[in-house]
Amino acid sequence: MSTKPNGPDPLRTKAETQLARAPETDGTPRPAKKLLHELQVYQVELEMQNEALRQAQVELEESRDRYVDLYDFAPVGYLTLTREALITDVNLTGATLLGMERSQLMHHRFAHWVAAEDSERWDRFFVSVLQDDERQSCELVLKRGHGSIFHAHLDCLHIKAGNDGNSVRISFTDVSERKQALEALRIAAIAFESHEGIMVTDACGVISRVNHAFTRLTGYSMKEAVGRTPAILSSGQHDRDFYQRMWVTLNEQKYWQGEMWNKRKNGKIYADWLTISAITGDGGNITHYVGIFSDITSNPESSAEIHRLAYYDSLTHLPNRRMLFDRLRQALAASSRNKHYGALLFLDLDNFKTLNDTYGHSIGDLLLVEIAQRLTANVREGDTEARLGGDEFVLMLENLSENTQEAVIQAGLIGEKIRDAVALPYIVQGLELWCTASIGVSLFYGHEASVDELLKHSDFAMYHAKNEGRNGIRFFDPEMQATLVERSALESDLRHALGRGQLRLYYQIQVNNERCAIGAEALLRWVHPERGLILPEQFIPLAEKTGLIVPIGVWVLQTACAQLRDWSTNPATHNLQLALNASALELRQPDFVEQVRQALSTTGINPALLKIELTESLLVDNVSDTVAKMNALKALGISFSMDDFGTAYSSLAYLKQLPLDQLKIDQSFIHDLGDNPSNAALVQAIILMGRTFGLDVIAEGVEAEAQMEFLNLNGCDAYQGYLFSRPLPLEEFEAFVVQVDAPEVTAALNPGRAKHRYAQLG
């Protein structure tokens, strides 16, 4: 019976085809000719089969070589053991790990390369592997041929082959480095939880980890500390020079240690012995700082110092807020007994911030010391002069007259004496300086008002004195009380406005020279159920003073990003850039960058469509932190505009440092363009400055065609103001943008240019 499959044999068919093409030999008998043909066909068929076999042999050898390479040069050592634990096979990696030639390992017991301390454990483990069909793992200390040891991880599998040909396959790797790393981490973890406080920050000084001792010593939990900076511990007892010297040493030597006064969460001041180490990466750049500190307040000297720091201002050595409040409570009790009036005088220096920034903080500090000395020299014995902080001082007068009018006169005379003394010139390090003070006065009689209320009354009166021209004295009166009550009510309502959904965003369009919409500024409005629409100038200062501006700012950011997401599906609005205002308090929040990043991630908007407007005055304090946060946001794709440009002194000083995209000309310069040539020159200078620094320039408060004409001729890029639209609620704004983008409306809004006196001002 034929063993060939049904159908034609392809090799035979091919052979016959080749012979059919060969020329016939004449004279050969037909049977012989046929037999010869058959033989030739089989010969060709055999040759082709041999060629196929040779090709298969080549492929088989190549496959075997690939397997051998993969087996020998795998990153893992492989062993095959008999039931007696004799090595019958090992790859090149395994031999290298054991430090032996492959031939020296064959037919030797694997136990010979197991360290003595693990010998019994290996024997028990191997028996367990032979009794089980599941993969099993263990870690052993193995010996190399030259005597060194290493930690190895073994994966073992029992292979049953019949006729007692069972074997054990082993893969093993060197895990010594991992073991050492884990041991180092274990030791570090034990050290980290020592009795000394430890905090770890990133290169920007943001705390990433603290230990339990930190929590015990400071009162801040890990959750409260992580994500913030060590400034939460600042006692205010060290000046800028102290920190500057500390950072210079850290940057140069990567190490600093010394005594530092810090403040616990409960407000108590304590002394630390602090050691800071800078951790560098492979490139030499600092990646982390590690601070280790211990409480040394048990020293007698430290206890006395703590009392001084707790109750006295470190710069002027006047009583601080805590001591003032203690003495004021005693004064109220004394007034209640002896029926005499007392008074609080709240002093705030006029334009001190400008002077401080012009001449430097060191000159400003020396001036504060001089002023403190003048206060001490011009008050009565038994009165209290205190510094609340910054350029704010308070005088507490006791034992004034029993008569109200006489007490007012007495307090007024002392206030005038103080005002005149402060206004005299100062000589500070060869500089002649001038400074005045605005003074608010409130009387107290017994316990008619609390300590907090008295301070609030005198503070409020001081603001009236400042608003009335500075260098003056103002008493708190019933009219002020009514205003204060109104402000307190407004503050109470503001605390609930966000939760009750009363805040709204209005949008004012921004256009280019062709009057096409290019963006909008989001402006906050408060829609009160009884008071109606409340403008920002009425409640934003209150929000900043109370700290409510922080949660409100988060809401504005999230709402604006959500609006950009909604606009992305509308052809009329999908390319609009939305500008938001950021307050100083918002920017100082340690998580401000993360808040913006989260809002972008949640909404998925194009970051280039979000613009943050900053005011010049915001940039005066802590410029380095501001620049760092701006750069971090810039890396996300967000742009920045300098709002109210030209209204503060800092323009040129910081302009080159800041990663700005735009300058916004303040509306006060635009308003008087036609009547004030100085404003026209200033506007031209701002536009030129913007072009010099490669920045766009936008003008706000544009209300007249002539103003736009002048700005356009001088190279302004964009405009915002009532000439185009007032701030609109969302629905009205979206409808307005659709109209502006209509060709016929654009033509109507862009009349032919006519010469005007504004255009000739330059």
Side-chain angles (χ1 to χ4, degrees), residues 26 110 187 190 212 221 284 331 337 350 420 428 432 463 471 531 571-572 598 635 725:
D26 294 337
F110 178 69
I187 294 172
I190 294 173
H212 292 299
S221 67
R337 290 192 305 269
D350 300 326
D420 295 341
V428 179
E432 184 179 33
Y463 274 106
N471 194 28
R531 301 172 187 267
Q598 184 64 36
S725 171

Side-chain angles (χ1 to χ4, degrees), residues 736 738-750:
F736 178 73
V738 172
Q739 294 176 356
V740 169
D741 285 344
E744 62 276 10
V745 176
T746 302
L749 289 175
N750 193 17

Side-chain angles (χ1 to χ4, degrees), residues 727-738:
L728 299 172
L730 176 62
E731 296 77 8
E732 294 182 33
F733 175 79
E734 291 178 335
F736 178 73
V737 169
V738 172

Side-chain angles (χ1 to χ4, degrees), residues 217 258-262 270-274 293-297:
L217 292 170
E259 183 177 300
M260 181 173 287
W261 293 95
N262 281 326
Y270 66 102
D272 277 341
W273 184 257
L274 175 63
F293 61 94
S294 55
D295 189 344
I296 59 172
T297 50

Side-chain angles (χ1 to χ4, degrees), residues 492-643:
S492 177
D493 289 348
L494 182 59
R495 292 186 182 278
H496 300 289
L498 187 58
R500 293 172 179 171
Q502 297 173 1
L503 298 182
R504 302 282 189 276
L505 285 186
Y506 277 42
Y507 303 87
Q508 187 171 30
I509 196 168
Q510 296 176 340
V511 302
N512 59 15
N513 282 306
E514 285 71 40
R515 305 193 186 215
C516 296
I518 59 173
E521 181 179 3
L523 299 166
L524 188 61
R525 297 291 186 267
W526 180 7
V527 182
H528 193 281
E530 287 86 28
R531 301 172 187 267
L533 184 65
I534 304 177
L535 298 177
E537 54 266 26
Q538 296 175 264
F539 69 89
I540 289 297
L542 190 58
E544 291 178 337
K545 189 168 185 178
T546 58
L548 292 172
I549 193 66
V550 175
I552 290 175
V554 173
W555 177 85
V556 170
L557 172 66
Q558 295 172 346
T559 303
C561 289
Q563 190 57 61
L564 282 172
R565 177 194 58 202
D566 296 343
W567 281 351
S568 65
T569 60
N570 185 341
T573 57
H574 74 284
N575 282 329
L576 293 183
Q577 188 179 49
L578 191 56
L580 305 179
N581 291 282
S583 72
L585 195 57
E586 289 178 85
L587 198 64
R588 292 192 192 108
Q589 298 304 305
D591 61 346
F592 179 71
V593 175
E594 183 56 36
Q595 289 175 4
V596 178
R597 184 184 288 111
Q598 184 64 36
L600 294 176
S601 174
T602 301
T603 56
I605 64 169
N606 179 4
L609 296 180
L610 183 63
K611 178 170 62 180
I612 295 178
E613 294 190 355
L614 308 174
T615 60
E616 291 183 79
S617 57
L618 182 150
L619 304 170
V620 173
D621 295 326
N622 204 354
V623 178
S624 59
D625 179 65
T626 300
V627 172
K629 288 177 179 174
M630 290 178 68
N631 283 327
L633 293 172
K634 192 80 170 177
L636 298 178
I638 291 171
S639 60
F640 288 95
S641 177
M642 176 76 82
D643 195 11

Side-chain angles (χ1 to χ4, degrees), residues 178-394:
R178 181 171 64 85
K179 293 280 287 187
Q180 293 170 359
L182 289 174
E183 183 68 12
L185 285 175
R186 187 181 69 84
I187 294 172
I190 294 173
F192 191 75
E193 293 306 334
S194 68
H195 67 281
E196 295 182 314
I198 301 176
M199 63 178 168
V200 181
T201 77
D202 61 17
C204 297
V206 177
I207 298 173
S208 59
R209 189 179 178 191
V210 298
N211 68 348
H212 292 299
F214 175 94
T215 296
R216 174 174 53 81
L217 292 170
T218 68
Y220 288 96
S221 67
M222 180 179 296
K223 184 177 180 180
E224 291 171 323
V226 171
R228 302 175 72 180
T229 69
I232 61 175
L233 305 177
S234 175
S235 64
Q237 306 305 320
H238 300 288
D239 58 18
R240 291 179 180 84
D241 290 340
F242 174 87
Y243 290 107
Q244 186 174 10
R245 291 192 300 270
M246 183 186 77
W247 282 109
V248 168
T249 302
L250 260 179
N251 291 329
E252 292 178 353
Q253 303 178 16
K254 305 297 186 287
Y255 180 83
W256 180 90
Q257 68 174 354
E259 183 177 300
M260 181 173 287
W261 293 95
N262 281 326
K263 183 169 65 176
R264 294 188 173 94
K265 183 181 177 182
N266 62 11
K268 290 187 177 180
I269 295 175
Y270 66 102
D272 277 341
W273 184 257
L274 175 63
T275 300
I276 306 176
S277 300
I279 309 301
T280 57
D282 294 337
N285 295 325
I286 294 175
T287 60
H288 295 83
Y289 294 99
V290 178
I292 302 175
F293 61 94
S294 55
D295 189 344
I296 59 172
T297 50
S298 58
N299 298 338
E301 296 85 357
S302 297
S303 299
E305 184 68 6
I306 286 173
H307 181 272
R308 188 186 69 78
L309 294 175
Y311 290 98
Y312 290 89
D313 175 55
S314 60
L315 177 65
T316 63
H317 304 300
L318 294 179
N320 61 12
R321 180 185 293 267
R322 176 179 292 181
M323 178 168 280
L324 172 67
F325 276 33
D326 286 348
R327 291 188 179 179
L328 185 53
R329 292 186 187 97
Q330 296 173 15
L332 293 178
S335 174
S336 181
R337 290 192 305 269
N338 60 32
K339 308 304 180 183
H340 282 262
Y341 277 93
L344 276 188
L345 279 65
F346 195 112
L347 285 76
D348 186 273
L349 303 182
D350 300 326
N351 299 315
F352 177 77
K353 189 173 185 300
T354 301
L355 184 147
N356 199 28
D357 294 328
T358 302
Y359 295 104
H361 292 287
S362 59
I363 296 295
D365 287 347
L366 291 175
L367 179 60
L368 291 174
V369 173
E370 292 276 350
I371 291 172
Q373 292 172 354
R374 293 191 185 182
L375 295 180
T376 303
N378 286 278
V379 296
R380 305 170 308 165
E381 185 176 355
D383 292 336
T384 297
E385 58 276 13
R387 181 185 178 217
L388 297 188
D391 59 342
E392 294 180 338
F393 296 85
V394 171

